[in-house]
Amino acid sequence: MTNLLELVLRKSQGLKLVALESLPPESITATDGTAQNSGYYVHPVRIELTGDYFAIAKYLSELEQMPVKYYWRSFKYDVEKHPRARLVLEVYTLGSRKEFIGG
């Protein structure tokens, strides 16, 4: 998943990657932590980048067009010094295994 996010970023102009981090998977069906190999898992990725509004908007649009479906968990956009802004975005995919199978 991080490779796909980076691929779209490399094709984008006017953006700088600050951080890209795969976060630990989270079970969405087990509430007591006992189901290690069953249920469904959220596989989150946190990405932080800087650029102007139009470069960030284009990047987000390209993410939405990808064949792999990402779900948005959090989105924080701050203008640091016009026209430069910082985006901190958490996206995730769902899987039936705790280990993420990239694609």
Side-chain angles (χ1 to χ4, degrees), residues 28-77:
I28 59 173
T29 56
T31 56
D32 60 2
T34 59
Q36 293 297 318
N37 295 314
S38 64
Y40 288 94
Y41 293 87
V42 170
H43 297 280
V45 172
R46 181 182 172 275
I47 186 166
E48 183 175 349
L49 50 90
T50 60
D52 68 26
Y53 170 83
F54 295 105
I56 290 173
K58 183 175 180 185
Y59 176 73
L60 296 173
S61 177
E62 289 178 17
L63 282 184
E64 288 286 312
Q65 302 304 315
M66 293 181 65
V68 175
K69 292 300 173 199
Y70 294 103
Y71 302 98
W72 299 48
R73 174 181 267 182
S74 67
F75 180 97
K76 182 178 179 192
Y77 178 88

Side-chain angles (χ1 to χ4, degrees), residues 12-25:
S12 302
Q13 294 181 356
L15 294 177
K16 179 183 175 191
L17 179 64
V18 176
L20 180 62
E21 176 183 13
S22 291
L23 302 172

